[in-house]
Amino acid sequence: MAVAHAGNRFGSAEKTMKIADPVVISTALPRFMSPGDSIEIPVTLSNTTSQAISGTAIIKVSGPITTNGAVEQTVNIGANSE
């Protein structure tokens, strides 16, 4: 929204617009883990463009954390979808 004034005259206009990166990655990781804990990591990839995209999602860990299962997955995301 934009608002302007000059003297005692006022005006405004508004327009809907998308403010986001082309691909948005959202996850819900725990803040803390204890030795021996096991978690599943939900990941949401959102395509904010008007074209379908594809890519590869890779998880990397370090230190005492290890992975169980696939660490790489090819994803196809439709236009304006998750």
Side-chain angles (χ1 to χ4, degrees):
M1 176 172 223
V3 178
H5 79 90
N8 62 353
R9 296 180 298 164
F10 295 87
S12 66
E14 67 180 74
K15 182 176 178 169
T16 302
M17 58 190 299
K18 188 183 295 186
I19 301 175
D21 288 332
V23 177
V24 179
I25 303 170
S26 304
T27 186
L29 293 169
R31 292 179 184 241
F32 303 98
M33 290 179 66
S34 295
D37 283 355
S38 176
I39 63 168
E40 289 187 14
I41 303 170
V43 177
T44 302
L45 301 172
S46 302
N47 176 6
T48 65
T49 70
S50 59
Q51 296 180 352
I53 61 170
S54 64
T56 303
I58 302 170
I59 186 167
K60 293 183 180 183
V61 296
S62 62
I65 298 174
T66 61
T67 59
N68 221 4
V71 295
E72 185 173 315
Q73 182 175 351
T74 300
V75 294
N76 296 306
I77 310 169
N80 295 307
S81 65
E82 295 182 349

